[in-house]
Amino acid sequence: MTCELCEGDGGELIWRNEECRVVCVTEPGYPGYCRVIWNAHVAEMTDLADGERERLMRVVFAVEAGLRALLRPEKINLASLGNLVPHLHWHVIPRFPGDPHFPSPIWGARQREPGPMLSDHGIVKKALAQRLGRL
Amino acid sequence: MTCELCEGDGGELIWRNEECRVVCVTEPGYPGYCRVIWNAHVAEMTDLADGERERLMRVVFAVEAGLRALLRPEKINLASLGNLVPHLHWHVIPRFPGDPHFPSPIWGARQREPGPMLSDHGIVKKALAQRLGRL
């Protein structure tokens, strides 16, 4: 059994430490969509020790705070699912009223086509990496 | 503007303290589906103080641990979305290979009809309430 989150970063790497990493996900209509991925192959939050869990959530919430400050979304969606890839990872998704699924979760049917995206999120990624560097 | 999570419990109440509550959700094909709801009307995790956030997550993970011990699901899904009801609440969803959407998230198209559910989850609810009482 191979695991794509063991074999690769799982997206464009923004920041990492010994325990986890933050990657940027390219998904049309979803600027700022990030994943926070635990480096070791663990399935559930309650498979982690208390301190590991707290540190992982601190990174998730730092990403949330950064994306809110940088993009001013209508809402943040957080999710740890992993039914297909049972390697602990958190989706951190800034949501906007005009995005393809709003106000539904992004995993349902599209309500509308994605609008044009900024071609480069370099500024967001750099600012997020700086904030994470201060953790 | 009225908020359904300010006006009511939001499900069958299993446990509560001054800050948050745990309710059981009746959703065909999803035994053990719980929500952990912050009592005050707050939209985002990063609107909470650090200590509040930690205590809320401690409850979420206690529900996860309880459901894993009681139901032995294939996977736990955790999500804080709230695009329609921006009042902080966590979905804690035990997932099983035969459930209506497995392995997709529960918010997409059904893959199959829900199977028969136990009519009474009294034992699960009681055991969960006992575990939460020890927090």
Tab-separated table of all heavy atoms in Angstrom, chain A residues 76-122:
chain	number	residue	atom	x	y	z
A	76	ILE	N	-14.491	30.557	7.006
A	76	ILE	CA	-13.437	29.552	6.877
A	76	ILE	C	-14.072	28.176	7.078
A	76	ILE	O	-14.889	27.988	7.971
A	76	ILE	CB	-12.330	29.768	7.940
A	76	ILE	CG1	-11.495	31.015	7.640
A	76	ILE	CG2	-11.435	28.531	8.056
A	76	ILE	CD1	-10.469	30.891	6.536
A	77	ASN	N	-13.711	27.234	6.217
A	77	ASN	CA	-14.138	25.845	6.417
A	77	ASN	C	-12.915	25.018	6.813
A	77	ASN	O	-11.881	25.072	6.137
A	77	ASN	CB	-14.734	25.256	5.133
A	77	ASN	CG	-16.113	25.813	4.778
A	77	ASN	OD1	-16.686	25.441	3.764
A	77	ASN	ND2	-16.657	26.716	5.583
A	78	LEU	N	-13.074	24.258	7.876
A	78	LEU	CA	-12.011	23.360	8.359
A	78	LEU	C	-12.521	21.931	8.285
A	78	LEU	O	-13.662	21.668	8.686
A	78	LEU	CB	-11.665	23.668	9.821
A	78	LEU	CG	-11.196	25.078	10.168
A	78	LEU	CD1	-11.036	25.204	11.680
A	78	LEU	CD2	-9.888	25.384	9.460
A	79	ALA	N	-11.701	21.012	7.805
A	79	ALA	CA	-12.155	19.620	7.768
A	79	ALA	C	-10.989	18.651	7.760
A	79	ALA	O	-9.989	18.860	7.068
A	79	ALA	CB	-13.039	19.369	6.550
A	80	SER	N	-11.143	17.592	8.537
A	80	SER	CA	-10.231	16.455	8.511
A	80	SER	C	-11.081	15.244	8.145
A	80	SER	O	-11.903	14.793	8.951
A	80	SER	CB	-9.586	16.272	9.894
A	80	SER	OG	-8.936	15.025	9.966
A	81	LEU	N	-10.941	14.770	6.927
A	81	LEU	CA	-11.803	13.684	6.425
A	81	LEU	C	-10.955	12.428	6.228
A	81	LEU	O	-10.911	11.559	7.073
A	81	LEU	CB	-12.505	14.129	5.139
A	81	LEU	CG	-13.251	15.485	5.225
A	81	LEU	CD1	-13.794	15.908	3.863
A	81	LEU	CD2	-14.373	15.441	6.240
A	82	GLY	N	-10.275	12.324	5.087
A	82	GLY	CA	-9.303	11.236	4.904
A	82	GLY	C	-9.880	9.855	4.702
A	82	GLY	O	-9.237	8.865	5.036
A	83	ASN	N	-11.089	9.770	4.128
A	83	ASN	CA	-11.658	8.442	3.891
A	83	ASN	C	-10.883	7.696	2.811
A	83	ASN	O	-10.730	6.482	2.884
A	83	ASN	CB	-13.130	8.570	3.476
A	83	ASN	CG	-13.930	9.375	4.485
A	83	ASN	OD1	-13.787	9.190	5.687
A	83	ASN	ND2	-14.744	10.292	4.001
A	84	LEU	N	-10.402	8.439	1.821
A	84	LEU	CA	-9.634	7.813	0.740
A	84	LEU	C	-8.140	7.775	1.055
A	84	LEU	O	-7.453	6.846	0.668
A	84	LEU	CB	-9.848	8.570	-0.579
A	84	LEU	CG	-11.087	8.181	-1.377
A	84	LEU	CD1	-11.313	9.157	-2.523
A	84	LEU	CD2	-10.972	6.747	-1.918
A	85	VAL	N	-7.669	8.824	1.704
A	85	VAL	CA	-6.245	8.922	2.061
A	85	VAL	C	-6.167	9.069	3.583
A	85	VAL	O	-6.181	10.174	4.111
A	85	VAL	CB	-5.578	10.124	1.360
A	85	VAL	CG1	-4.088	10.190	1.699
A	85	VAL	CG2	-5.769	10.057	-0.155
A	86	PRO	N	-6.160	7.934	4.291
A	86	PRO	CA	-6.210	7.996	5.758
A	86	PRO	C	-4.864	8.379	6.387
A	86	PRO	O	-4.323	7.643	7.205
A	86	PRO	CB	-6.673	6.591	6.153
A	86	PRO	CG	-6.194	5.723	5.037
A	86	PRO	CD	-6.187	6.562	3.785
A	87	HIS	N	-4.368	9.513	5.943
A	87	HIS	CA	-3.123	10.093	6.462
A	87	HIS	C	-3.538	11.497	6.896
A	87	HIS	O	-3.950	12.311	6.055
A	87	HIS	CB	-2.079	10.119	5.335
A	87	HIS	CG	-0.755	10.728	5.691
A	87	HIS	ND1	0.457	10.162	5.348
A	87	HIS	CD2	-0.445	11.875	6.347
A	87	HIS	CE1	1.439	10.934	5.782
A	87	HIS	NE2	0.918	11.987	6.395
A	88	LEU	N	-3.455	11.751	8.190
A	88	LEU	CA	-4.018	12.950	8.825
A	88	LEU	C	-3.683	14.243	8.089
A	88	LEU	O	-2.510	14.611	7.964
A	88	LEU	CB	-3.473	12.998	10.254
A	88	LEU	CG	-4.209	13.808	11.300
A	88	LEU	CD1	-5.689	13.494	11.352
A	88	LEU	CD2	-3.566	13.564	12.671
A	89	HIS	N	-4.724	14.914	7.598
A	89	HIS	CA	-4.534	16.220	6.946
A	89	HIS	C	-5.791	17.058	7.128
A	89	HIS	O	-6.904	16.549	7.100
A	89	HIS	CB	-4.199	16.059	5.454
A	89	HIS	CG	-5.258	15.371	4.637
A	89	HIS	ND1	-5.463	14.003	4.672
A	89	HIS	CD2	-6.175	15.849	3.769
A	89	HIS	CE1	-6.451	13.684	3.848
A	89	HIS	NE2	-6.921	14.790	3.294
A	90	TRP	N	-5.556	18.351	7.320
A	90	TRP	CA	-6.651	19.300	7.526
A	90	TRP	C	-6.798	20.182	6.299
A	90	TRP	O	-5.826	20.766	5.824
A	90	TRP	CB	-6.371	20.190	8.742
A	90	TRP	CG	-6.673	19.502	10.022
A	90	TRP	CD1	-5.819	18.739	10.758
A	90	TRP	CD2	-7.927	19.497	10.712
A	90	TRP	NE1	-6.467	18.248	11.871
A	90	TRP	CE2	-7.758	18.707	11.865
A	90	TRP	CE3	-9.173	20.080	10.461
A	90	TRP	CZ2	-8.802	18.480	12.779
A	90	TRP	CZ3	-10.201	19.862	11.359
A	90	TRP	CH2	-10.015	19.068	12.503
A	91	HIS	N	-8.024	20.301	5.817
A	91	HIS	CA	-8.362	21.277	4.780
A	91	HIS	C	-8.679	22.600	5.466
A	91	HIS	O	-9.476	22.629	6.414
A	91	HIS	CB	-9.606	20.829	4.002
A	91	HIS	CG	-9.493	19.479	3.377
A	91	HIS	ND1	-9.108	19.286	2.073
A	91	HIS	CD2	-9.688	18.231	3.878
A	91	HIS	CE1	-9.089	17.998	1.791
A	91	HIS	NE2	-9.438	17.329	2.875
A	92	VAL	N	-8.062	23.671	4.995
A	92	VAL	CA	-8.372	25.019	5.480
A	92	VAL	C	-8.792	25.815	4.245
A	92	VAL	O	-7.954	26.124	3.389
A	92	VAL	CB	-7.179	25.671	6.188
A	92	VAL	CG1	-7.591	27.020	6.783
A	92	VAL	CG2	-6.596	24.758	7.272
A	93	ILE	N	-10.083	26.098	4.142
A	93	ILE	CA	-10.653	26.607	2.890
A	93	ILE	C	-11.347	27.949	3.114
A	93	ILE	O	-12.386	28.011	3.769
A	93	ILE	CB	-11.678	25.602	2.312
A	93	ILE	CG1	-11.139	24.172	2.370
A	93	ILE	CG2	-12.066	26.007	0.877
A	93	ILE	CD1	-12.214	23.108	2.220
A	94	PRO	N	-10.778	29.028	2.577
A	94	PRO	CA	-11.480	30.310	2.644
A	94	PRO	C	-12.675	30.265	1.692
A	94	PRO	O	-12.527	29.867	0.542
A	94	PRO	CB	-10.441	31.330	2.151
A	94	PRO	CG	-9.134	30.595	2.076
A	94	PRO	CD	-9.467	29.152	1.914
A	95	ARG	N	-13.844	30.647	2.183
A	95	ARG	CA	-15.054	30.605	1.360
A	95	ARG	C	-15.566	32.013	1.068
A	95	ARG	O	-15.513	32.882	1.952
A	95	ARG	CB	-16.141	29.781	2.092
A	95	ARG	CG	-15.742	28.327	2.400
A	95	ARG	CD	-15.448	27.529	1.131
A	95	ARG	NE	-16.521	27.608	0.163
A	95	ARG	CZ	-17.608	26.834	0.155
A	95	ARG	NH1	-17.731	25.879	1.066
A	95	ARG	NH2	-18.555	26.988	-0.748
A	96	PHE	N	-16.042	32.182	-0.147
A	96	PHE	CA	-16.538	33.478	-0.616
A	96	PHE	C	-17.913	33.296	-1.255
A	96	PHE	O	-18.159	32.249	-1.879
A	96	PHE	CB	-15.563	34.053	-1.653
A	96	PHE	CG	-14.180	34.289	-1.108
A	96	PHE	CD1	-13.213	33.287	-1.165
A	96	PHE	CD2	-13.858	35.497	-0.509
A	96	PHE	CE1	-11.937	33.490	-0.644
A	96	PHE	CE2	-12.582	35.708	0.015
A	96	PHE	CZ	-11.625	34.710	-0.046
A	97	PRO	N	-18.785	34.305	-1.129
A	97	PRO	CA	-20.144	34.164	-1.674
A	97	PRO	C	-20.192	33.796	-3.159
A	97	PRO	O	-21.119	33.148	-3.607
A	97	PRO	CB	-20.766	35.539	-1.419
A	97	PRO	CG	-20.044	36.043	-0.222
A	97	PRO	CD	-18.628	35.554	-0.368
A	98	GLY	N	-19.175	34.159	-3.933
A	98	GLY	CA	-19.208	33.821	-5.360
A	98	GLY	C	-18.426	32.571	-5.719
A	98	GLY	O	-18.247	32.272	-6.902
A	99	ASP	N	-17.971	31.807	-4.727
A	99	ASP	CA	-17.146	30.639	-5.082
A	99	ASP	C	-18.030	29.511	-5.640
A	99	ASP	O	-19.256	29.558	-5.530
A	99	ASP	CB	-16.237	30.236	-3.905
A	99	ASP	CG	-16.921	29.458	-2.781
A	99	ASP	OD1	-17.853	28.677	-3.032
A	99	ASP	OD2	-16.478	29.624	-1.625
A	100	PRO	N	-17.435	28.478	-6.265
A	100	PRO	CA	-18.244	27.521	-7.029
A	100	PRO	C	-19.334	26.785	-6.243
A	100	PRO	O	-20.305	26.334	-6.851
A	100	PRO	CB	-17.192	26.535	-7.575
A	100	PRO	CG	-15.946	27.342	-7.691
A	100	PRO	CD	-15.986	28.285	-6.515
A	101	HIS	N	-19.193	26.648	-4.924
A	101	HIS	CA	-20.177	25.871	-4.158
A	101	HIS	C	-20.919	26.668	-3.086
A	101	HIS	O	-21.814	26.139	-2.451
A	101	HIS	CB	-19.501	24.681	-3.459
A	101	HIS	CG	-18.841	23.720	-4.384
A	101	HIS	ND1	-17.576	23.934	-4.887
A	101	HIS	CD2	-19.262	22.539	-4.918
A	101	HIS	CE1	-17.249	22.921	-5.673
A	101	HIS	NE2	-18.242	22.070	-5.711
A	102	PHE	N	-20.537	27.899	-2.856
A	102	PHE	CA	-21.106	28.648	-1.737
A	102	PHE	C	-22.630	28.723	-1.818
A	102	PHE	O	-23.150	28.962	-2.906
A	102	PHE	CB	-20.538	30.085	-1.700
A	102	PHE	CG	-20.703	30.741	-0.363
A	102	PHE	CD1	-19.765	30.561	0.630
A	102	PHE	CD2	-21.827	31.511	-0.069
A	102	PHE	CE1	-19.922	31.141	1.890
A	102	PHE	CE2	-21.995	32.086	1.183
A	102	PHE	CZ	-21.041	31.903	2.151
A	103	PRO	N	-23.404	28.559	-0.726
A	103	PRO	CA	-22.938	28.322	0.646
A	103	PRO	C	-22.788	26.844	1.007
A	103	PRO	O	-22.656	26.508	2.167
A	103	PRO	CB	-24.063	28.950	1.476
A	103	PRO	CG	-25.305	28.668	0.667
A	103	PRO	CD	-24.869	28.696	-0.780
A	104	SER	N	-22.826	25.950	0.022
A	104	SER	CA	-22.694	24.521	0.326
A	104	SER	C	-21.232	24.172	0.592
A	104	SER	O	-20.328	24.914	0.217
A	104	SER	CB	-23.196	23.685	-0.853
A	104	SER	OG	-24.552	23.942	-1.088
A	105	PRO	N	-20.999	23.013	1.202
A	105	PRO	CA	-19.624	22.518	1.333
A	105	PRO	C	-19.024	22.296	-0.056
A	105	PRO	O	-19.763	22.071	-1.021
A	105	PRO	CB	-19.807	21.181	2.071
A	105	PRO	CG	-21.127	21.296	2.764
A	105	PRO	CD	-21.980	22.124	1.864
A	106	ILE	N	-17.720	22.346	-0.155
A	106	ILE	CA	-17.085	22.263	-1.481
A	106	ILE	C	-17.163	20.863	-2.082
A	106	ILE	O	-16.795	20.677	-3.237
A	106	ILE	CB	-15.591	22.693	-1.442
A	106	ILE	CG1	-14.732	21.662	-0.694
A	106	ILE	CG2	-15.430	24.071	-0.838
A	106	ILE	CD1	-13.260	21.760	-1.078
A	107	TRP	N	-17.633	19.888	-1.317
A	107	TRP	CA	-17.639	18.508	-1.800
A	107	TRP	C	-18.947	18.118	-2.490
A	107	TRP	O	-19.111	16.979	-2.891
A	107	TRP	CB	-17.301	17.544	-0.661
A	107	TRP	CG	-15.959	17.835	-0.068
A	107	TRP	CD1	-14.747	17.476	-0.598
A	107	TRP	CD2	-15.682	18.590	1.118
A	107	TRP	NE1	-13.740	17.963	0.197
A	107	TRP	CE2	-14.275	18.635	1.262
A	107	TRP	CE3	-16.474	19.215	2.083
A	107	TRP	CZ2	-13.655	19.298	2.316
A	107	TRP	CZ3	-15.867	19.868	3.127
A	107	TRP	CH2	-14.474	19.914	3.253
A	108	GLY	N	-19.897	19.043	-2.581
A	108	GLY	CA	-21.169	18.745	-3.247
A	108	GLY	C	-21.143	19.208	-4.695
A	108	GLY	O	-20.079	19.429	-5.280
A	109	ALA	N	-22.332	19.347	-5.275
A	109	ALA	CA	-22.454	19.783	-6.674
A	109	ALA	C	-22.131	21.276	-6.764
A	109	ALA	O	-22.506	22.056	-5.885
A	109	ALA	CB	-23.861	19.514	-7.178
A	110	ARG	N	-21.456	21.644	-7.838
A	110	ARG	CA	-21.156	23.055	-8.092
A	110	ARG	C	-22.434	23.863	-8.284
A	110	ARG	O	-23.340	23.432	-8.987
A	110	ARG	CB	-20.342	23.175	-9.376
A	110	ARG	CG	-18.872	23.286	-9.154
A	110	ARG	CD	-18.229	23.785	-10.458
A	110	ARG	NE	-16.775	23.605	-10.395
A	110	ARG	CZ	-15.986	23.620	-11.458
A	110	ARG	NH1	-16.516	23.784	-12.664
A	110	ARG	NH2	-14.686	23.464	-11.321
A	111	GLN	N	-22.465	25.048	-7.705
A	111	GLN	CA	-23.601	25.959	-7.899
A	111	GLN	C	-23.330	26.887	-9.079
A	111	GLN	O	-24.244	27.471	-9.637
A	111	GLN	CB	-23.779	26.830	-6.650
A	111	GLN	CG	-23.678	26.088	-5.338
A	111	GLN	CD	-25.034	25.770	-4.760
A	111	GLN	OE1	-26.027	26.343	-5.172
A	111	GLN	NE2	-25.085	24.853	-3.807
A	112	ARG	N	-22.061	27.082	-9.398
A	112	ARG	CA	-21.684	28.016	-10.475
A	112	ARG	C	-20.246	27.720	-10.902
A	112	ARG	O	-19.507	27.051	-10.186
A	112	ARG	CB	-21.830	29.464	-9.995
A	112	ARG	CG	-20.963	29.851	-8.825
A	112	ARG	CD	-21.371	31.192	-8.201
A	112	ARG	NE	-22.603	31.077	-7.409
A	112	ARG	CZ	-22.654	30.640	-6.140
A	112	ARG	NH1	-21.543	30.276	-5.505
A	112	ARG	NH2	-23.785	30.538	-5.489
A	113	GLU	N	-19.887	28.199	-12.072
A	113	GLU	CA	-18.524	28.010	-12.588
A	113	GLU	C	-17.540	28.866	-11.795
A	113	GLU	O	-17.906	29.950	-11.324
A	113	GLU	CB	-18.465	28.425	-14.061
A	113	GLU	CG	-19.205	27.473	-14.990
A	113	GLU	CD	-18.691	26.047	-14.862
A	113	GLU	OE1	-17.499	25.824	-15.102
A	113	GLU	OE2	-19.489	25.158	-14.505
A	114	PRO	N	-16.298	28.389	-11.659
A	114	PRO	CA	-15.304	29.224	-10.975
A	114	PRO	C	-15.004	30.486	-11.774
A	114	PRO	O	-14.941	30.435	-13.005
A	114	PRO	CB	-14.067	28.326	-10.895
A	114	PRO	CG	-14.308	27.195	-11.823
A	114	PRO	CD	-15.769	27.085	-12.062
A	115	GLY	N	-14.863	31.607	-11.099
A	115	GLY	CA	-14.469	32.857	-11.756
A	115	GLY	C	-12.980	32.836	-12.064
A	115	GLY	O	-12.273	31.873	-11.729
A	116	PRO	N	-12.487	33.875	-12.707
A	116	PRO	CA	-11.048	33.932	-12.990
A	116	PRO	C	-10.266	34.035	-11.682
A	116	PRO	O	-10.708	34.698	-10.736
A	116	PRO	CB	-10.905	35.210	-13.818
A	116	PRO	CG	-12.114	36.028	-13.498
A	116	PRO	CD	-13.211	35.084	-13.136
A	117	MET	N	-9.161	33.334	-11.611
A	117	MET	CA	-8.326	33.362	-10.404
A	117	MET	C	-7.102	34.219	-10.683
A	117	MET	O	-6.609	34.251	-11.804
A	117	MET	CB	-7.835	31.956	-10.065
A	117	MET	CG	-8.875	31.057	-9.482
A	117	MET	SD	-8.624	30.774	-7.703
A	117	MET	CE	-7.309	29.563	-7.706
A	118	LEU	N	-6.635	34.855	-9.649
A	118	LEU	CA	-5.322	35.469	-9.757
A	118	LEU	C	-4.350	34.376	-10.157
A	118	LEU	O	-4.404	33.270	-9.614
A	118	LEU	CB	-4.902	36.054	-8.410
A	118	LEU	CG	-5.740	37.237	-7.920
A	118	LEU	CD1	-5.366	37.576	-6.493
A	118	LEU	CD2	-5.523	38.434	-8.825
A	119	SER	N	-3.492	34.643	-11.090
A	119	SER	CA	-2.606	33.579	-11.569
A	119	SER	C	-1.510	33.271	-10.549
A	119	SER	O	-0.961	32.196	-10.520
A	119	SER	CB	-1.992	33.978	-12.902
A	119	SER	OG	-1.267	35.180	-12.740
A	120	ASP	N	-1.241	34.231	-9.707
A	120	ASP	CA	-0.129	34.027	-8.778
A	120	ASP	C	-0.528	34.414	-7.354
A	120	ASP	O	-0.958	35.539	-7.113
A	120	ASP	CB	1.069	34.876	-9.220
A	120	ASP	CG	2.254	34.637	-8.304
A	120	ASP	OD1	2.314	33.558	-7.676
A	120	ASP	OD2	3.119	35.523	-8.232
A	121	HIS	N	-0.441	33.465	-6.464
A	121	HIS	CA	-0.732	33.769	-5.072
A	121	HIS	C	0.544	33.955	-4.281
A	121	HIS	O	0.583	33.678	-3.092
A	121	HIS	CB	-1.573	32.661	-4.456
A	121	HIS	CG	-2.941	32.664	-5.019
A	121	HIS	ND1	-3.832	33.668	-4.776
A	121	HIS	CD2	-3.543	31.809	-5.857
A	121	HIS	CE1	-4.938	33.428	-5.437
A	121	HIS	NE2	-4.802	32.313	-6.107
A	122	GLY	N	1.559	34.390	-4.961
A	122	GLY	CA	2.865	34.525	-4.331
A	122	GLY	C	2.824	35.344	-3.051
A	122	GLY	O	3.450	34.979	-2.053
